[in-house]
Amino acid sequence: MGRFKNNKKSRVIVKPISKKNQEDVSHVTGDKIPKSFVFSRMKLPGSVKQLQMDLRKLMLPYTALSLKEKKRNTLRDFLNVSGPMGVTHFLMLSKTASALNLRVARTPQGPTLTFKIHQYSLASDIAQSQLRPRCPPDLFKTPPLIVLSGFGSQELHLKLATIMFQNIFPSIDINTVKLSTCQRLVLLHYNKDTKLIDFRHYSIRLQPVGVSRRIRKFVQNHQVPDLRNLQDVSDFVTKAGYGSESEGDEEAATVTLSSDLGRVNKGATKSAVKLQEIGPRMTMQLVKVEEGLCTGGIIFSEYGKC
Amino acid sequence: MSTGEEAHTAMAERGNRKRRVGVKKGTKAARNKKLKSKPSTSDRFKVTMKNQKLFQKRAREYNSDEEEEDEAKKQPEVTIREKIFSDANMGPNYDVIEEDDDSDRDEHSDGEDHGEIESGVTKFATDGCNAFKIAFKAIMKKTKGDDVLGPVLSAHKHLIAEKLAEEDAEKKAKGQAKKAKHLIAEKGHVKPGSYLDANEKILIGVATKGVVKLFNAVNKAQHAQKGLNPSRAKDAKVLKKRRKEAFFSELGKTKPDTKAEKSSNDDEAPAWAPLRDNYMLANPKLKDWDKKQETSEGDDFAGLSGDESYED
């Protein structure tokens, strides 16, 4: 009896793997889609656990959102799973008494970048700090864009970091990409003076420019406006509501769309790009670069000469 | 001496028994020994007989009427309480006094019992009740005092106080340890303010620039193919042709640039293994990754990797 059950189970497991192998390659670009695991191999305090969950959400959709790790799981276990699943990147959080570390590794054979997280804020903290936190339902259904700034190509470890982060999310083909799928953005900003990397996660929103706020809200919300104080219906359109003051100085943040994007942003009109912070915020420092997956020769070390 | 012999014989008996499990009859000697051992047990009993009087007394007490028993029960209780109250203020040497009292009480109660047996029910109705009344009044008159621990526990007052102090100290230590642990756990956790500070604004500006750059590039690329449906075979062919042209034109433009880059790389490369052209190329598993790297390095043309990266 037991044997039959086991046979069934093994059959069930095999099927999705073969399917997933087909999904590994994106239909559009033909590149291999990078996938990631976010995990830790020790017991984390509550807030860091939450940070791990936020990072998983950030890495969506090509990550294991409810990955369960046990104390006895070694790195080799994850590595063994990663092969058939097509997982290409590991993000490992570890907490010591002195520091919180994030290791970003390319799977089968490295390299591994170790970041020391100096400061972090959770997604919930940031949502709390905002008046109207924004989270549309399909926000996490598409991979984020990544913007790297300040990483000069002179220093080699920074170049490696650039390459690593460029490849951690699926690449985009400019000719075929739909702008409606660009919902999120991950920013990595390197500060040369402090050697710190600012890690931010934003949601992208497009707003039509040159339309009064009232009309924009009317189109967006689909609600019957309050017309009690107006003499005529035309007043609603002609009466200029207070325009956003920031509209003027954000001339650089406008985009002319070639095609329609959603209901509000029509093609050939100007739209303003608005970013609102979501997800975790981290300030980290590149501490160590290892040749292998958490092993091997040290290529770069912040504290000691290698 | 006799008891020692007994023990020896008993041991011998046991040994014999053990050895002769299968044998049905014991030897005569063993029987004799058994017989001998019996009087010795009577000797043991004799020793206890010395306390026979005491046993008799206790038996009498035990077999007496229920009422008497009740009284006997009540009275010791009263005496205990009285004693505690009276000794409440005596402090540390209380225990010694209590022991003395115990012995006293035993004698005293014995005497009382004798009296009760003689006088019977009447004494219970008058004197016993009276004594109880006095005791009860004495208890009621006592004010509790403002001690939190109460009068009953006063015997162990200092002990309890010590224990409480110890617990308090333990709690404090535990709390401090917990706090320290929490501090370590929360190290680096910053809750942002409700306002946007300058640094955040700069970062948002940078990110916005990046997005605008990407979106403009996308629009520029997609504007050209406007009206052409990539799913239709005819249009797809046209698109392919255009892309090819664009690719080659870009290639022609950027060729000298990339060459220059490469030469500069070659100069640096030997110093640092991972950026050498043949770094880990020997490994077939990483073939894809290296390809990606190359494309992303020289992706200024149609942008196979749309990830925006630029330097300030």
Side-chain angles (χ1 to χ4, degrees), chain B residues 19-308:
Chain B
R19 274 176 214 157
R20 304 187 182 184
V21 175
V23 181
K24 282 173 187 176
K25 282 183 181 178
T27 55
K28 275 184 182 178
R31 276 185 188 174
N32 284 338
K33 273 178 187 171
K34 269 186 188 174
L35 286 171
K36 272 182 188 172
S37 68
K38 270 186 182 176
S40 68
T41 52
S42 70
D43 274 344
R44 198 192 273 165
F45 194 62
K46 260 182 188 171
V47 177
T48 55
M49 285 286 272
K50 284 174 186 174
N51 293 328
Q52 205 175 7
K53 260 194 180 179
L54 194 80
F55 285 153
Q56 278 177 355
K57 208 176 174 183
R58 278 184 188 169
R60 205 170 52 206
E61 280 173 29
Y62 186 74
N63 292 328
S64 60
D65 293 342
E66 283 183 5
E67 286 174 352
E68 280 174 4
E69 266 185 17
D70 278 358
E71 212 177 30
K73 271 184 188 172
K74 267 179 197 171
Q75 277 188 336
E77 264 185 39
V78 171
T79 52
I80 286 165
R81 278 192 191 168
E82 272 183 325
K83 192 178 45 149
I84 287 166
F85 280 109
S86 61
D87 292 337
N89 300 326
M90 290 202 172
N93 23 345
Y94 171 76
D95 290 334
V96 182
I97 291 161
E98 194 184 30
E99 281 172 12
D100 291 346
D101 275 11
D102 277 335
S103 58
D104 282 345
R105 188 191 57 187
D106 284 344
E107 287 169 14
H108 182 65
S109 64
D110 284 352
E112 263 189 3
D113 282 347
H114 283 296
E116 276 156 24
I117 287 159
E118 285 168 11
S119 59
V121 185
T122 50
K123 204 173 186 185
F124 165 69
T126 55
D127 279 6
C129 228
N130 212 19
F132 180 74
K133 204 164 81 184
I134 291 162
F136 191 75
K137 270 188 180 173
I139 292 167
M140 294 306 285
K141 267 181 197 170
K142 290 260 181 186
T143 49
K144 217 172 82 179
D146 50 353
D147 200 349
V148 191
L149 304 174
V152 179
L153 297 172
S154 57
H156 304 289
K157 198 173 168 184
H158 62 289
L159 282 178
I160 286 170
E162 255 177 39
K163 214 175 187 182
L164 283 177
E166 217 171 86
E167 265 178 25
D168 228 37
E170 250 177 52
K171 249 186 194 174
K172 246 186 190 173
K174 262 188 188 174
Q176 276 177 350
K178 216 176 183 185
K179 241 183 196 172
K181 207 178 169 190
H182 186 71
L183 264 181
I184 287 173
E186 288 288 303
K187 196 185 176 192
H189 189 185
V190 179
K191 296 205 171 172
S194 55
Y195 55 88
L196 276 179
D197 58 0
N199 191 29
E200 294 303 316
K201 270 184 184 166
I202 289 169
L203 289 179
I204 286 184
V206 168
T208 312
K209 249 195 215 165
V211 175
V212 169
K213 204 177 169 189
L214 170 70
F215 277 28
N216 281 334
V218 168
N219 284 328
K220 201 178 164 191
Q222 291 186 354
H223 191 73
Q225 11 162 326
K226 217 178 177 187
L228 297 174
N229 191 358
S231 57
R232 265 170 63 191
K234 224 182 188 180
D235 292 350
K237 259 185 191 173
V238 176
L239 282 178
K240 226 180 191 178
K241 213 175 186 182
R242 273 192 200 176
R243 267 180 215 168
K244 215 175 186 180
E245 280 166 14
F247 175 75
F248 278 122
S249 65
E250 286 290 336
L251 209 63
K253 266 185 211 168
T254 52
K255 238 182 181 175
D257 283 1
T258 49
K259 257 193 177 176
E261 264 183 41
K262 265 190 180 174
S263 62
S264 67
N265 268 354
D266 282 339
D267 292 341
E268 293 169 19
W272 209 53
L275 288 174
R276 257 180 238 159
D277 284 346
N278 62 347
Y279 178 59
M280 291 202 289
L281 252 182
N283 192 341
K285 275 188 186 173
L286 279 175
K287 226 178 187 176
D288 258 351
W289 183 50
D290 272 316
K291 267 183 194 168
K292 244 183 222 171
Q293 241 179 280
E294 278 167 28
T295 52
S296 59
E297 272 172 33
D299 74 337
D300 257 5
F301 66 101
L304 270 173
S305 126
D307 305 332
E308 287 289 301

Side-chain angles (χ1 to χ4, degrees), chain A residues 62-117:
Chain A
Y62 301 111
T63 191
L65 188 64
S66 46
L67 178 72
K68 297 262 189 306
E69 65 260 38
K70 281 179 184 167
K71 212 176 181 181
R72 64 164 186 270
N73 285 140
T74 57
L75 191 59
R76 185 153 285 282
D77 295 340
F78 291 103
L79 200 61
N80 288 339
V81 173
S82 75
M85 301 288 276
V87 175
T88 54
H89 290 84
F90 282 170
L91 278 81
M92 289 163 277
L93 276 170
S94 60
K95 170 88 186 163
T96 59
S98 58
L100 175 63
N101 289 322
L102 172 70
R103 276 181 292 177
V104 183
R106 167 87 206 182
T107 45
Q109 273 156 342
T112 307
L113 311 180
T114 306
F115 296 93
K116 183 181 173 188
I117 298 176

Side-chain angles (χ1 to χ4, degrees), chain A residues 211-229:
Chain A
V211 185
S212 77
R213 180 188 151 84
R214 239 184 208 168
I215 292 170
R216 202 180 68 225
K217 289 280 169 203
F218 174 55
V219 174
Q220 274 174 343
N221 292 345
H222 259 314
Q223 280 170 351
V224 178
D226 184 10
L227 298 175
R228 275 179 300 182
N229 300 330

Side-chain angles (χ1 to χ4, degrees), chain A residues 72-297:
Chain A
R72 64 164 186 270
N73 285 140
T74 57
L75 191 59
R76 185 153 285 282
D77 295 340
F78 291 103
L79 200 61
N80 288 339
V81 173
S82 75
M85 301 288 276
V87 175
T88 54
H89 290 84
F90 282 170
L91 278 81
M92 289 163 277
L93 276 170
S94 60
K95 170 88 186 163
T96 59
S98 58
L100 175 63
N101 289 322
L102 172 70
R103 276 181 292 177
V104 183
R106 167 87 206 182
T107 45
Q109 273 156 342
T112 307
L113 311 180
T114 306
F115 296 93
K116 183 181 173 188
I117 298 176
H118 287 258
Q119 285 183 345
Y120 67 95
S121 307
L122 305 176
S124 58
D125 297 333
I126 284 161
Q128 263 179 357
S129 74
Q130 289 169 346
L131 207 60
R132 284 187 192 83
R134 178 176 182 268
C135 188
D138 52 351
L139 190 63
F140 291 100
K141 282 180 183 166
T142 53
L145 310 172
I146 186 154
V147 174
L148 301 163
S149 101
F151 288 87
S153 55
Q154 296 94 328
E155 286 176 276
L156 297 168
H157 60 275
L158 288 178
K159 200 171 179 182
L160 192 67
T162 312
I163 291 162
M164 182 70 100
F165 280 111
Q166 269 176 350
N167 289 323
I168 212 166
F169 295 113
S171 55
I172 301 167
D173 183 8
I174 282 186
N175 289 307
T176 51
V177 71
K178 279 183 185 169
L179 287 186
S180 59
T181 59
C182 303
Q183 294 265 1
R184 294 184 291 138
L185 168 84
V186 172
L187 170 73
L188 284 161
H189 180 83
Y190 181 70
N191 192 333
K192 269 175 195 164
D193 304 326
T194 54
K195 290 189 174 178
L196 294 178
I197 298 169
D198 286 312
F199 185 99
R200 298 288 185 278
H201 186 208
Y202 300 104
S203 75
I204 302 170
R205 186 174 41 156
L206 287 178
Q207 266 183 3
V209 177
V211 185
S212 77
R213 180 188 151 84
R214 239 184 208 168
I215 292 170
R216 202 180 68 225
K217 289 280 169 203
F218 174 55
V219 174
Q220 274 174 343
N221 292 345
H222 259 314
Q223 280 170 351
V224 178
D226 184 10
L227 298 175
R228 275 179 300 182
N229 300 330
L230 303 174
Q231 299 293 327
D232 195 71
V233 180
S234 61
D235 285 356
F236 181 73
V237 183
T238 54
K239 228 181 188 178
Y242 55 91
S244 174
E245 301 114 37
S246 56
E247 238 170 53
D249 55 75
E250 279 182 12
E251 198 56 43
T254 55
V255 186
T256 311
L257 295 174
S258 63
S259 59
D260 296 359
L261 181 63
R263 201 174 59 246
V264 187
N265 300 291
K266 293 288 170 196
T269 58
K270 276 201 164 184
S271 296
V273 176
K274 300 263 180 186
L275 297 182
Q276 190 171 357
E277 192 167 1
I278 46 171
R281 175 194 288 187
M282 292 190 285
T283 306
M284 50 196 197
Q285 184 183 12
L286 182 57
V287 174
K288 199 166 69 171
V289 179
E290 282 165 306
E291 214 167 345
L293 184 63
C294 299
T295 50

